[in-house]
Amino acid sequence: MLNHVGTQIIETPRLILRRFQIDDAEQMYNNWASDTLVTKYLSWSAHKNKPDFS
């Protein structure tokens, strides 16, 4: 049986896997969320505006 223990951070010399944080939004937008080629086969369209959480 599996027991939920929450999100665990996994870290290697080349990679860190962790939960998303609100500070990740701008990098997410710049890296892939605004790219129409990346979002072509997703259930949502590319984002047209940068996130504004101020």
Side-chain angles (χ1 to χ4, degrees):
M1 175 178 272
L2 297 175
N3 293 320
H4 179 67
V5 295
T7 301
Q8 302 295 309
I9 296 174
I10 300 171
E11 190 170 343
T12 71
R14 295 178 52 191
L15 177 71
I16 299 173
L17 293 176
R18 59 168 174 76
R19 288 186 122 189
F20 289 116
Q21 298 173 358
I22 200 71
D23 296 339
D24 298 329
E26 187 170 355
Q27 287 182 332
M28 179 189 78
Y29 175 83
N30 292 334
N31 289 324
W32 62 270
S34 62
D35 189 333
T36 55
L37 291 176
V38 172
T39 59
K40 182 176 181 176
Y41 299 106
L42 297 177
S43 61
W44 63 87
S45 301
H47 295 267
K48 297 183 186 338
N49 302 313
K50 282 190 174 186
D52 181 23
F53 296 109
S54 53

